Structures are given as structure tokens and as C-alpha cells.
């Protein structure tokens, strides 16, 4: 009779435990289904797991096997009681989980033969971990530490944590995918905004100057580029002309480009020379551009009445002059990129334009364009194209250069923006 009563008590306790587990799992499912916030979901999983197995602390670790890299761990959240510091899952345990993909119970981690030589945090006394699996792929690990009251984790604890991990895995994966989708959506919005900024900055028409033929092109490598081109009237019946390369990509590069354009246009109006304009613009950009960003720029001032160009260069490719008799030379003057050293002393020079002369200002997206054999287009090929088409209009010369680059590159992906400005004296 006593034996039967004891059996009934044990069965009743088992049933009560099962009801409690089912209630806890039902609450967890309801909580997880009510949110798409990654941090909230991770915290709910950890809190429920800690309570379910009466642990002191827990952590969810997401893992990914990124291409060309070793196992990457992303510690997302941990929950602890008291003043103890949060644990991070041991790399050895992560490696074991990646290989075995099954629950791990360690009530004496320092004496376990599977982890000889592993240095454990002195506060870790017991550990229980379960894999987060989706479609036979390990996406993370749910781990809890230190059973309360100095007790050890049981087989029932391991079974229950495995159920929690299995129930949570797909939710975690869906949340990760949702987070990636949101990030991608924000990137698309940023690129669209950057594209709108750049489109607004691009020149729509070039001025019809007596005796001159002017044309420019700018082909971004991606939806948003970092090259800058401008041609703008300034006092004294002159025009400023610029070709530059703004560091960075996306919205930051677009905002920097807008800053550069506004700075140069404002300084060009008040500066007496090309060197003074670059010096002032550089000082202003050093104050406003964040550290690590910079701009390469060729800056010129066209005096179309006197048929000359005064110029300064801030680390940009050296422009080319081609004359009517096929002679070519580069504008050798150089200088430091803008936005790096506030007090850099820029120099200037000038060049006369005879009838038939053409100035070609280009970005390194032309000279450094690569084909599938990783050969660069180079300046020699550029010179040959310029000489061959020197009698063509500025627009046709621009198109000939661009076509030559495209023919050379072939099926290779364009990695840098292609920008070109042609100023040709025709009379």
C-alpha cells in the first residue's frame, strides 16, 4: 500500500512538472510571437530559460560561418541575478557545439576530459547549453550557468533547455532575417537619398562660351559615386572648373560632396587666386570634415577672354593638355589632398590655351580601370586616345575616351567612378 502511494506521489509530481513545463513553453511561445525586436526576444528567451532550470545566469550567442573567415560569434544579450558580471560563452564550448550540435551538460567543467586545458571563468561552477538549430544548421547556442543553491543540473534540466532552444531557434532566425531586411531597406533609402543629392549637384548644362567647347561626363561605379565635377561662373568674367574624388561611398560621400561644392563655390567668389581658394577651402573642410575623410581635387580658373587657365592641385591626377599638332604634356603642379592638414601651403600655376588646344581633367577611375587580367587602362592608353581624337568636339572626345575604357575593361566589374572634363579652345 505504501509503495502504491509513493508511486502515485511520484506520478503526480511528474504530471505537475509536465503541466508547469507546458505552461512555461506556452508563455514563451506567446511572448516570442508578440515581438520582432531582436533584443527583446533574446532577453525573453534567456529569462525563461533561467527560470525553467533554476539557473543564476544565461546568454544567447548567435554564430555564423562567414565566408573567408573563422567562426564569428555575436553576443547578443545576457541576463544575470545579483551583482555578478555577465558571462560570455567559452570559445571551446562554441567549437564543441558547432561540431556535435547537441546539448551539453557540465556539472564539473574543470574536470571534464572534453575540455582539458580550457581556462574557465572562476565564477563558472556548472554549465548547461543547447544548440539553436534551423534546417540542420547551427545558428546559435542557448547557455545557462550555475544552478542555484549550489545544486547541479539534471537530465530533466537538459531536456527542458533543449525544448526551449528548439522552440526558440526559428523565431531567432526569423528575427535575424527581419533585422537584415530592415537594414537592407535602410540602406536602399540611404542610397536613394544619396543619389538624389548627387543628381541635384551634377551639372545639367555647360555654358556656351565664345571660342570654347566644354563637355563633362561622370559615370558612377555604383548607384552612388564619390567623384565631383563642377563648372561655375565667378567674378571677373571667369569660370571655376573642378574635378575631384570624394572619399567614401553612399550618403556620407554625397553629403561631403555637397559640402565641397558649397565650400568651393563660396570661396571661389572671394578668392583672388586658385591657390588662395584651395587654401581657404582646405581650412574650412578641415574644420567640418570628420577625421579620415578627404578630397582630391583639381581646381582651375578659366579666363576665356585671355585664353588661359590658372590652376592648383590637391592630390588629384595631373590633367593633360593636347595641342593641335598632337603634342601633349601634363600639368605637373601638385599638392596635398583637402581636409587633412589645415595650413598646407598650396601653390598655383597657369597655362595658355591656343586654338585647337584641349584640357583633359580626369579621375583615377579612368587611368586605373582594370580588365579581367587585372591590367590597368593607364595614362599611355589615355594619351593615345586623346591624341587620336584631338580634332573631335569636346563631347565626342569624352565619348571616345569613355568607349575606349569600356572596351578595355570588357566584362570586368567597374570598381571606381569615371569622371572627365574637356575644355577645348576652338577659336
Amino acid at each position: 500500500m505504501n509503495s502504491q502511494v509513493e508511486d502515485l506521489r511520484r506520478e503526480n509530481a511528474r504530471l505537475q512538472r509536465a503541466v508547469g513545463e507546458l505552461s512555461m513553453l506556452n508563455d514563451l511561445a506567446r511572448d516570442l510571437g508578440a515581438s520582432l525586436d531582436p533584443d527583446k526576444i533574446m532577453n525573453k528567451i534567456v529569462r525563461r530559460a533561467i527560470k525553467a532550470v533554476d539557473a543564476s545566469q544565461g546568454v544567447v550567442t548567435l554564430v555564423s560561418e562567414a565566408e573567408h573567415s573563422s567562426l564569428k560569434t555575436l553576443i547578443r544579450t545576457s541576463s544575470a541575478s545579483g551583482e555578478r558580471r555577465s558571462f560570455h560563452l567559452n570559445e571551446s564550448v562554441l567549437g564543441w557545439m558547432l561540431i556535435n550540435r547537441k546539448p551539453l551538460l557540465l556539472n564539473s567543467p574543470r574536470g571534464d576530459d572534453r575540455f582539458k586545458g580550457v581556462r574557465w571563468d572562476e565564477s563558472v561552477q556548472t554549465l548547461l547549453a543547447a544548440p539553436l538549430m534551423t534546417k540542420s544548421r547551427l545558428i546559435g547556442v542557448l547557455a545557462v550557468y550555475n544552478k542555484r543553491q549550489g545544486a547541479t543540473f539534471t537530465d530533466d534540466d537538459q531536456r527542458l533547455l533543449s525544448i526551449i532552444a528548439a522552440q526558440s531557434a526559428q523565431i531567432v532566425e526569423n528575427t535575424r532575417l527581419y533585422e537584415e531586411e530592415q537594414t537592407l531597406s535602410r540602406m536602399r533609402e540611404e542610397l536613394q537619398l544619396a543619389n538624389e543629392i548627387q543628381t541635384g549637384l551634377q551639372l545639367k548644362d555647360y555654358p556656351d562660351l565664345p571660342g570654347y567647347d566644354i563637355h563633362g561626363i561622370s559615370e558612377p561605379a555604383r548607384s552612388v559615386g564619390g567623384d565631383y565635377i563642377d563648372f561655375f561662373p565667378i567674378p571677373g568674367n571667369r569660370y571655376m572648373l573642378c574635378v575631384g574624388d570624394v572619399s567614401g561611398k553612399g550618403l556620407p560621400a554625397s553629403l561631403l560632396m555637397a559640402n565641397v561644392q558649397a565650400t568651393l563655390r563660396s570661396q571661389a567668389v572671394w578668392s583672388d587666386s586658385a591657390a588662395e581658394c584651395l587654401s581657404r577651402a582646405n581650412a574650412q573642410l578641415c574644420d567640418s570634415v570628420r577625421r579620415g575623410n578627404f578630397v582630391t581635387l583639381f581646381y582651375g580658373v578659366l579666363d576665356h577672354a585671355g585664353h588661359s587657365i590658372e590652376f592648383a592641385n590637391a592630390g588629384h591626377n595631373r590633367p593633360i593638355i593636347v595641342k593641335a599638332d598632337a603634342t601633349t604634356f601634363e600639368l605637373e603642379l601638385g599638392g596635398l589632398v583637402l581636409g587633412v592638414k589645415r595650413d598646407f601651403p598650396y601653390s598655383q600655376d597657369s597655362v595658355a590655351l591656343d586654338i585647337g588646344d584641349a584640357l583633359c581633367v580626369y579621375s583615377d577611375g579612368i587611368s586605373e580601370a582594370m580588365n579581367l587580367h587585372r591590367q590597368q587602362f593607364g595614362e599611355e592608353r589615355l594619351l593615345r586616345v586623346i591624341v587620336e581624337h584631338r580634332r573631335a568636339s569636346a563631347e565626342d572626345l569624352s565619348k571616345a575616351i569613355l568607349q575606349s575604357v569600356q572596351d578595355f575593361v570588357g566584362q570586368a566589374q567597374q570598381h571606381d567612378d569615371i569622371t572627365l572634363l574637356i575644355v577645348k579652345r576652338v577659336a
Side-chain angles (χ1 to χ4, degrees):
M1 184 66 177
N2 290 337
S3 176
Q4 291 178 340
V5 171
E6 187 61 30
D7 288 343
L8 286 173
R9 285 177 178 171
R10 283 197 296 269
E11 180 63 17
N12 184 54
R14 187 188 68 80
L15 290 174
Q16 287 182 341
R17 185 170 63 249
V19 169
E21 290 176 0
L22 288 173
S23 176
M24 183 274 299
L25 292 172
N26 181 64
D27 290 342
L28 177 61
R30 186 173 60 250
D31 286 345
L32 296 183
S35 175
L36 283 173
D37 183 284
D39 293 329
K40 289 183 179 179
I41 286 178
M42 301 299 174
N43 276 310
K44 287 176 180 177
I45 293 172
V46 169
R47 286 199 303 269
R48 292 288 183 180
I50 288 173
K51 184 177 180 180
V53 300
D54 199 25
S56 298
Q57 191 173 146
V59 63
V60 169
T61 304
L62 300 187
V63 299
S64 64
E65 296 175 85
E67 188 178 0
H68 306 308
S69 69
S70 58
L71 181 69
K72 182 180 181 182
T73 65
L74 303 171
I75 306 299
R76 295 299 300 271
T77 186
S78 62
S79 177
S81 60
E83 298 297 325
R84 297 177 182 177
R85 60 189 180 85
S86 298
F87 295 129
H88 288 176
L89 193 59
N90 189 292
E91 289 288 339
S92 298
V93 174
L94 279 174
W96 188 93
M97 296 296 291
L98 184 65
I99 295 171
N100 295 278
R101 304 180 183 226
K102 63 182 182 181
L104 175 66
L105 193 158
L106 294 173
N107 280 323
S108 181
R110 292 163 186 81
D112 196 293
D113 291 339
R114 293 170 294 182
F115 297 95
K116 284 184 177 179
V118 174
R119 297 183 61 181
W120 295 92
D121 187 288
E122 61 182 14
S123 300
V124 175
Q125 302 302 317
T126 56
L127 166 67
L128 181 59
L132 298 169
M133 304 286 296
T134 60
K135 299 179 181 179
S136 301
R137 182 170 61 90
L138 181 73
I139 65 166
V141 177
L142 171 61
V144 292
Y145 297 87
N146 298 344
K147 185 88 168 179
R148 294 182 187 276
Q149 308 301 323
T152 57
F153 291 114
T154 66
D155 290 340
D156 283 340
D157 292 332
Q158 177 177 294
R159 176 185 56 81
L160 183 54
L161 191 71
S162 298
I163 295 173
I164 294 173
Q167 185 177 15
S168 304
Q170 192 57 54
I171 300 294
V172 170
E173 179 69 357
N174 291 344
T175 303
R176 184 188 66 80
L177 293 174
Y178 174 77
E179 191 175 29
E180 288 183 358
E181 182 181 344
Q182 293 298 105
T183 300
L184 184 60
S185 177
R186 287 192 295 270
M187 289 176 61
R188 289 195 185 110
E189 291 176 1
E190 179 181 302
L191 286 174
Q192 178 61 33
L193 178 57
N195 182 266
E196 292 174 1
I197 292 174
Q198 288 195 337
T199 300
L201 294 177
Q202 295 295 341
L203 288 175
K204 306 299 187 294
D205 298 295
Y206 288 86
D208 184 14
L209 296 181
Y212 283 86
D213 184 15
I214 302 167
H215 186 75
I217 58 172
S218 187
E219 296 281 344
R222 299 177 179 86
S223 59
V224 178
D227 280 3
Y228 163 66
I229 186 170
D230 204 359
F231 199 96
F232 183 72
I234 58 176
N237 200 26
R238 301 173 301 163
Y239 281 82
M240 62 162 273
L241 58 96
C242 302
V243 171
D245 190 350
V246 176
S247 67
K249 299 294 181 184
L251 186 56
S254 295
L255 295 175
L256 178 53
M257 183 186 293
N259 188 6
V260 170
Q261 185 186 66
T263 299
L264 284 171
R265 287 191 172 190
S266 64
Q267 294 301 335
V269 171
W270 299 105
S271 299
D272 294 327
S273 67
E276 182 183 1
C277 181
L278 271 197
S279 296
R280 287 183 172 184
N282 177 59
Q284 190 169 332
L285 289 171
C286 283
D287 290 338
S288 61
V289 173
R290 68 180 181 182
R291 188 178 182 85
N293 285 358
F294 61 90
V295 182
T296 72
L297 183 83
F298 174 82
Y299 176 85
V301 176
L302 172 63
D303 178 357
H304 60 92
H307 305 301
S308 66
I309 296 178
E310 181 183 274
F311 63 90
N313 195 328
H316 199 72
N317 301 79
R318 292 174 295 189
I320 298 169
I321 294 284
V322 59
K323 302 187 75 65
D325 64 359
T327 303
T328 64
F329 62 92
E330 294 180 335
L331 303 184
E332 299 284 351
L333 184 68
L336 187 67
V337 297
L338 301 176
V340 173
K341 185 177 180 181
R342 180 183 176 88
D343 298 321
F344 183 82
Y346 289 95
S347 302
Q348 68 181 44
D349 202 348
S350 64
V351 61
L353 292 180
D354 298 324
I355 296 175
D357 289 358
L359 169 70
C360 174
V361 190
Y362 63 96
S363 68
D364 57 11
I366 291 178
S367 57
E368 297 179 5
M370 284 189 180
N371 60 19
L372 291 174
H373 302 291
R374 300 193 65 78
Q375 297 171 322
Q376 291 189 352
F377 184 73
E379 294 180 3
E380 289 186 8
R381 289 186 178 87
L382 176 59
L383 283 171
R384 287 200 295 267
V385 177
I386 292 173
V387 169
E388 181 182 352
H389 297 273
R390 66 187 183 279
R391 294 187 178 89
S393 67
E395 181 176 0
D396 288 342
L397 176 55
S398 300
K399 290 180 178 179
I401 294 172
L402 181 60
Q403 187 62 55
S404 296
V405 173
Q406 291 173 342
D407 291 343
F408 174 80
V409 169
Q411 298 299 314
Q413 184 179 357
Q414 181 182 340
H415 292 287
D416 204 357
D417 311 321
I418 291 176
T419 301
L420 178 68
L421 177 64
I422 303 293
V423 178
K424 185 174 184 179
R425 183 183 172 190
V426 294

